[in-house]
Amino acid sequence: MLYPAEPFRIKAVETVTKLDRETRAQKMAEAGYNTFLLESKDVYFDLLTDSGTSSLNAKQWVSMMNAGATNHSRDTQCELERTLQNAYGMQHIIPTTRGRGAENILAMLTIEHGQYVLGNMCSTSHRFHIESQGGSFVDVIGQQAYQAELNTHFKGNIDLNKLVEVIADKGAENIAYIRLSTTVNLAGGQPVSLANIAAVREIADQYSIKVFFDATHCVENAFFIQEQEAGYSELSIQAILKQMFSYADGCVINGTNKECLVSSGGILCLNDDHLFEEANDIIMLYGGMPMVDQDTQNMLSGIRNSLAVALRDSMEQDYIEHRVKQVRYLGEKLQAAGVPVVEPIGGHAVFIDANRFCSHLSDEQLPAQSLTASLYIETGIRAMERGIVSAGSKAPNTDQLETVRLAIPRQVYTYAHMDAIANNIIELYQQREAIQGLKFSYEPKWLRFFTARFEHA
């Protein structure tokens, strides 16, 4: 396969320090074997997340610096609105301070106690917001998504038969909305086909149920449609996105990562006028007045300007092709050496199958968390557990994927870095039997992967 060169020049450099193994082992123990509790300065390759870790481009920096040049902060909000309205066809745009803020507002707007949200897996934070409103999430993703070694297109698709069965069982009046992730992070960054999106919309219309996208990875999803779904190879990314969003009633976007690149911010998009009015009321109650002091307005305006620039740039063919194929390059190097990964390779991260990598560890020994800790100690690579710990104690254990996510920040690493990362992981795989299992020493009630601490089992 031809892997395209970086479609950018690097003009700023951050020096990193590689600690010796003894020091890394000490740091990991002090952090309770939770990579979230490590300090960034102690990390060589930081693949924990692509949230707020990507590099801004020159146009984004210019847009942020120019934001303070006007006293009319509304101008920059309009720029973000115009970008999303033109690109996605959404009518109402609500910027939030974080992606989780957008998720929370959506849950407050749509969920009544005892209702259900149906979807193709659910992020841990979104599940929390659903449950905090008295709702429950029901996973209706296709069974293929749970087969890590199965290499087939569009493993993020919703199982349409299961969707109809759950609606019939729960009652359409008890379904708050259908949540469609594009792509599905917890399944390894697997995309959803346009045919499946259209079919979900058709079923939703039959039962008068709204459909909301988790659109944080939507540009990557559009690239996979262009590359892999019949009939779309000649369409632009922009045209595919417009068609995707024609089936949505709204969406949430985490601006701190993915296509937006900025270090803060989220977006809630809505087509319903009444929901939009209610959302503004919620913001007034919980987020304060829309007009605050000028310094804060300038900061928010800069973020919104930067979001608008990044969203437009992310749809460029050269950018998104390099983005997806750089991740694929790393995944295919690992595959070639026999390292078990979730197949096919997703668009934002490579997911190591921890159950196969650490086949000597039981579920009680937390294979993914144990592998994540060992990965840092042995190689200096910081990754993230995506399995038993991330799922949370309330999540069902059936069909649980147990993975370690290698999230690749945008415009940060080169192919040479991918080579070094792959070589280190391959070396660890060759001595995998030495990886020790872990157990909880401290388990928080919510979002436990952030602050939980562990010890050797």
Side-chain angles (χ1 to χ4, degrees):
M1 173 180 289
L2 177 63
Y3 296 98
E6 289 80 2
F8 50 83
R9 299 187 185 98
I10 299 171
K11 293 190 175 181
V13 175
E14 178 187 7
T15 303
V16 294
T17 302
K18 187 174 182 180
L19 305 177
D20 59 64
R21 186 195 180 281
E22 182 180 355
T23 304
R24 293 197 301 267
Q26 178 183 344
K27 297 287 185 182
M28 191 76 268
E30 291 171 353
Y33 298 96
N34 185 346
T35 51
F36 267 98
L37 302 180
L38 290 169
E39 294 188 58
S40 295
K41 66 180 180 62
D42 296 327
V43 176
Y44 186 37
F45 290 117
D46 203 346
L47 310 184
L48 178 75
T49 178
D50 52 350
S51 296
T53 58
S54 297
S55 293
L56 276 65
N57 62 40
K59 288 186 288 184
Q60 285 182 280
W61 283 115
V62 170
S63 71
M64 293 181 75
M65 287 186 287
N66 286 341
T70 175
N71 289 325
H72 301 288
S73 60
R74 178 69 184 164
D75 293 345
T76 55
Q77 186 169 348
C78 283
E79 180 65 18
L80 178 59
E81 288 175 352
R82 282 192 294 268
T83 298
L84 284 163
Q85 287 166 350
N86 292 335
Y88 298 169
M90 294 284 105
Q91 294 183 29
H92 302 298
I93 313 301
I94 302 174
T96 60
T97 55
R98 303 285 292 184
R100 289 192 289 275
E103 293 172 353
N104 184 40
I105 294 171
L106 178 61
M108 295 176 71
L109 287 172
T110 57
I111 299 172
E112 297 180 5
H113 189 84
Q115 285 190 318
Y116 300 88
V117 174
L118 315 184
N120 51 348
M121 297 190 178
C122 187
S123 68
T124 312
S125 60
H126 205 146
R127 183 188 290 273
F128 165 77
H129 293 304
I130 291 169
E131 293 176 351
S132 68
Q133 296 300 314
S136 301
F137 180 77
V138 180
D139 191 359
V140 289
I141 198 170
Q143 193 62 30
Q144 292 180 332
Y146 293 101
Q147 302 173 47
E149 70 278 11
L150 179 64
N151 193 334
T152 188
H153 296 328
F154 301 111
K155 287 168 65 176
N157 282 355
I158 280 179
D159 183 328
L160 301 176
N161 292 330
K162 188 174 181 180
L163 176 63
V164 173
E165 290 172 2
V166 174
I167 294 173
D169 177 57
K170 305 297 184 184
E173 70 280 5
N174 297 317
I175 308 301
Y177 61 90
I178 297 171
R179 180 184 185 276
L180 190 61
S181 295
T182 57
T183 60
V184 185
N185 188 0
L186 292 180
Q190 302 302 321
V192 183
S193 70
L194 250 174
N196 190 254
I197 294 172
V200 169
R201 176 80 261 178
E202 183 177 355
I203 292 170
D205 287 343
Q206 290 175 11
Y207 295 95
S208 299
I209 299 171
K210 291 188 180 297
V211 177
F212 293 98
F213 288 2
D214 178 346
T216 302
H217 293 105
C218 63
V219 179
E220 292 165 6
N221 201 101
F223 177 82
F224 284 119
I225 290 171
Q226 183 191 67
E227 182 186 56
Q228 299 171 5
E229 190 167 0
Y232 295 99
S233 61
E234 300 302 318
L235 286 186
S236 67
I237 295 295
Q238 293 91 332
I240 295 171
L241 282 168
K242 206 69 171 283
Q243 189 168 340
M244 285 171 55
F245 280 90
S246 70
Y247 300 112
D249 292 295
C251 71
V252 293
I253 301 173
N254 185 352
T256 63
N257 53 7
K258 329 313 180 205
E259 284 81 32
C260 297
L261 305 178
V262 297
S263 58
S264 181
I267 306 167
L268 173 63
C269 301
L270 298 166
N271 283 335
D272 186 285
D273 294 342
H274 179 65
L275 287 181
F276 176 63
E277 292 174 1
E278 288 191 11
N280 281 324
D281 289 341
I282 290 173
I283 292 172
M284 292 284 286
L285 288 170
Y286 294 97
M289 295 293 289
M291 291 301 294
V292 293
D293 65 273
Q294 191 60 49
D295 288 342
T296 304
Q297 274 298 330
N298 288 340
M299 178 191 72
L300 294 176
S301 297
I303 292 172
R304 290 166 182 166
N305 255 348
S306 185
L307 279 168
V309 171
L311 285 166
R312 290 194 297 267
D313 288 353
S314 73
M315 301 174 211
E316 294 297 324
Q317 187 71 35
D318 286 347
Y319 168 85
I320 189 60
E321 183 174 2
H322 168 266
R323 166 63 184 164
V324 172
K325 289 186 176 179
Q326 185 188 49
V327 175
R328 190 176 295 169
Y329 176 84
L330 173 60
E332 290 181 352
K333 284 189 74 71
L334 294 175
Q335 282 179 299
V339 178
V341 298
V342 175
E343 301 180 46
I345 307 302
H348 73 290
V350 176
F351 288 71
I352 299 174
D353 185 349
N355 278 332
R356 286 187 286 161
F357 196 110
C358 298
S359 58
H360 61 291
L361 299 180
S362 65
D363 287 349
E364 289 72 23
Q365 293 173 299
L366 307 176
Q369 189 68 41
S370 302
L371 174 55
T372 303
S374 291
L375 188 62
Y376 173 75
I377 293 171
E378 302 300 334
T379 72
I381 298 170
R382 176 160 70 162
M384 179 184 177
E385 181 271 356
R386 273 308 199 188
I388 296 168
V389 176
S390 293
S393 57
K394 289 187 178 182
N397 291 323
T398 57
D399 297 321
Q400 178 69 54
L401 284 173
E402 182 73 357
T403 65
V404 171
R405 187 184 69 184
L406 308 170
I408 311 302
R410 286 152 180 77
Q411 303 175 156
V412 172
Y413 294 117
T414 65
Y415 285 108
H417 289 127
M418 298 299 106
D419 288 336
I421 291 166
N423 291 338
N424 279 315
I425 294 173
I426 292 165
E427 185 175 341
L428 177 61
Y429 183 63
Q430 292 167 351
Q431 51 185 347
R432 58 193 179 278
E433 295 291 335
I435 295 174
Q436 293 180 267
L438 296 172
K439 63 181 180 181
F440 282 99
S441 60
Y442 165 67
E443 182 179 357
K445 183 177 180 181
W446 301 109
L447 302 179
R448 58 188 187 177
F449 59 89
F450 281 126
T451 57
R453 300 182 74 87
F454 306 89
E455 60 189 12
H456 288 301

